[in-house]
Amino acid sequence: MTGILALAALVAALGTLQVLLSAVVVAVMLPLIRPWLEAAALAGRTRLLALLSGLPLLSGVVLVTACLWPSLSQGLGLSGDHCLVHIDHALHLCLAHLPSTAPPLSAAIAVAVGLIMTACASWRAATLLCSGRDEAHVLAAISHQRGEIRWIESRFPLALTVGLLRPRIYVSSGLERGLDDAELDAAIAHERCHSRERHALLKLLATVSGTFHLPRVQRELGSLLDLACERRADECAAIHVDDRVRVASALVRAHRLVAAQPSTTLAFADGSLSRVDLRVRALLMEPATSRRHWWPLGAAVASLALATIGNHELHHAAEHLLALLV
Amino acid sequence: MSNPTGSTLFKNRLTVGFFGGHNPLEMGLVVGQLETAVMEHLWRHGASSAKDVHRALGDRRGIKLNTIQSTMDRLFRKRMLQREKVSHAYVYTHAVSREELSTRVIGEVLETLAGGETGVMLTAFANLAEREGDEALVQLEELIAKKRRGGTT
């Protein structure tokens, strides 16, 4: 039992160190790659930002799996006893040759940090899922279906997409009254894009996996992803109504309706250009001819291939590193 | 018509949920599935007694008259219904219109969304938490007008 616990602690410590290292690398690199991110094609940008949010967690999982692979493949009968290759190692990341000593204090601290981060991410996921479920029930209870849209009798100018796997589009009578037909069509096309591309699910995954980033990076990535999703939906709406200015006009009109509502919410005032300003100005420009960048996908595939091919080397390096910590 | 006094309905925050009263959003008013159905009936058909509502909803759903009566009494105590005694029975009418209830509920949902990160669970065309000043909107409208006239931004 001690051996299993010690191995679990070492593996968890290894994963935690990788997560922390990746989080620091992303924090350092983000200001440098931000201009490039903002120039990437919108459809790819949303996925790229979500991937970046989950990078520390993903890299931790990949590293741990790669390091344990020689032992796992032995357990599955795919290979022989790998520990015989490096019998001189003081420590083995192996299910067959479990450590005989209790985990060191440094590993225990790393495990504790990892557990705290995992608990925070799980709590965040549970809270978001519960509140999302409640919001969906609230909106379903006060709306009625007409075609593909659920309509809400309310003076609030609303066009919302709610739901993760089967999103529903909600539009309020306040928005219907406040926009002309073409503008309303643009607003609904905007929501259809959110629904089709599962933006709420993407944002949820990014938010939860983003817990493993530094707080400043979490906020920055969240804000970039939010804006990218909105701009992507604006572009879809512009293609649908075949009029970019019409979408911009609908957006400004909807915000006029919002401004006319009694203040129930607080405005975000961070001194930067507001998102509606950025969205409208982007719509008034010619559609960007951003190239589709394939290298992030290539880099991800190459990393996975390297982790697969080089799992023995990673396994050795991890054993050396952990031996130093011990 | 009578109304209960000192009710905390509108002092509390509003929500609608189907999970027996507890709601992580902690927003006070809970309108369950049956309560929603009763409100729907009264919005559509106007003044009705518990027996009328039972005939319309209870038979179909296999719900007893007592349950309908207690549901309507609960809605009355929440100040969502008004009632008047006619002969030996109460006749209920809605005290809150559908639009008023929706607006209040949505206001509360938006307040919750603006106060936390639950906004990631939905996407909106116009963010109600993002209020533009008049000057900024006028500037954007001018840009749009200029673009329509064929100018550049």
Side-chain angles (χ1 to χ4, degrees), chain A residues 124 131 134-135 137-138 153 156 158-159 161 191 194 230 256 258 261-262 265-266 274-276 279 284, chain B residues 15-16 19 23-24 102-103 105-106 113 117-118 122-125 127-132 134 138 141 147:
Chain A
R124 208 172 190 185
S131 60
D134 289 327
E135 282 157 17
H137 281 129
V138 168
E153 291 297 325
F156 280 114
L158 292 176
T161 302
E191 293 308 319
H194 282 314
E230 293 307 325
R256 269 238 174 270
V258 169
Q261 297 301 315
T265 53
L266 298 172
S274 76
R275 277 188 296 184
V276 64
R279 286 168 62 191
L284 294 181
Chain B
T15 191
V16 181
F19 297 96
N23 188 316
S102 300
T103 299
V105 169
I106 287 168
L113 293 180
E117 62 174 10
T118 45
L122 60 77
T123 48
F125 182 62
N127 189 348
L128 275 100
E130 194 177 73
R131 282 164 183 272
E132 284 301 308
D134 191 55
V138 167
E141 280 160 351
K147 184 77 181 177

Side-chain angles (χ1 to χ4, degrees), chain A residues 64-321:
Chain A
V64 165
T65 310
C67 291
L68 280 179
W69 186 248
S71 168
L72 290 172
S73 66
Q74 181 194 341
L76 293 169
L78 300 173
S79 63
D81 189 348
H82 178 75
C83 293
L84 295 175
V85 180
H86 54 98
I87 201 153
D88 56 322
H89 281 195
L91 187 149
H92 291 276
L93 284 174
C94 177
L95 291 163
H97 305 96
L98 296 169
S100 52
T101 53
L105 182 65
S106 50
I109 292 170
V111 170
V113 171
L115 284 176
I116 290 169
M117 288 195 298
T118 308
C120 286
S122 308
W123 175 253
R124 208 172 190 185
T127 311
L128 285 172
L129 285 170
C130 283
S131 60
R133 179 193 63 182
D134 289 327
E135 282 157 17
H137 281 129
V138 168
L139 293 169
I142 57 171
S143 60
H144 58 278
Q145 192 92 27
R146 200 195 317 154
E148 60 167 322
I149 311 292
R150 289 194 72 85
W151 294 87
I152 302 173
E153 291 297 325
S154 167
R155 62 180 162 77
F156 280 114
L158 292 176
L160 302 170
T161 302
V162 181
L164 298 175
L165 298 175
R166 282 181 299 167
R168 280 173 165 179
I169 298 171
Y170 295 87
V171 179
S172 70
S173 50
L175 190 75
E176 193 183 18
R177 282 195 296 266
L179 301 184
D180 66 31
D181 287 350
E183 287 171 339
L184 187 65
D185 193 26
I188 291 173
H190 173 103
E191 293 308 319
R192 267 198 213 107
C193 178
H194 282 314
S195 169
R196 195 173 51 246
E197 301 193 359
R198 307 276 190 282
H199 284 160
L201 179 63
L202 202 65
K203 281 162 68 180
L204 174 74
L205 292 174
T207 304
V208 173
S209 59
T211 310
F212 296 91
H213 277 294
L214 302 180
R216 176 183 63 78
V217 177
Q218 280 179 42
R219 281 194 299 275
E220 196 170 343
L221 287 174
S223 169
L224 283 171
L225 178 60
D226 207 33
L227 180 60
C229 288
E230 293 307 325
R231 285 205 42 212
R232 166 73 181 151
D234 287 342
E235 293 296 328
C236 289
I239 292 168
H240 176 80
V241 297
D242 195 21
D243 185 351
R244 299 176 68 78
V245 182
R246 177 71 65 190
V247 182
S249 147
L251 199 52
V252 173
R253 188 84 74 93
H255 278 85
R256 269 238 174 270
L257 295 170
V258 169
Q261 297 301 315
S263 181
T264 56
T265 53
L266 298 172
F268 298 130
D270 58 359
S272 59
L273 274 177
S274 76
R275 277 188 296 184
V276 64
D277 194 287
L278 291 169
R279 286 168 62 191
V280 168
R281 285 175 193 275
L283 282 163
L284 294 181
M285 287 193 285
E286 289 309 307
T289 50
S290 336
R291 283 194 304 123
R292 200 174 272 271
H293 293 285
W294 290 105
W295 75 260
L297 181 65
V301 171
S303 307
L304 278 176
L306 274 176
T308 309
I309 297 165
N311 67 75
H312 285 272
E313 286 69 24
L314 278 172
H315 173 83
H316 282 246
E319 285 182 350
H320 279 300
L321 178 72

Side-chain angles (χ1 to χ4, degrees), chain B residues 60-104:
Chain B
R60 188 157 33 98
R61 294 169 177 234
I63 298 168
K64 290 180 179 164
L65 176 62
N66 271 351
T67 311
I68 298 284
Q69 278 169 333
S70 57
T71 301
M72 294 179 82
D73 187 55
R74 198 161 54 245
L75 287 169
F76 167 72
R77 280 187 274 109
K78 287 179 178 180
R79 294 182 68 181
M80 293 179 73
L81 299 182
Q82 294 174 316
R83 71 186 180 191
E84 189 177 26
K85 203 159 196 176
V86 178
S87 186
H88 292 293
Y90 283 115
V91 173
Y92 291 85
T93 51
H94 62 81
V96 182
S97 71
R98 189 200 296 271
E99 178 152 354
E100 190 184 347
L101 181 64
S102 300
T103 299
R104 283 169 184 269

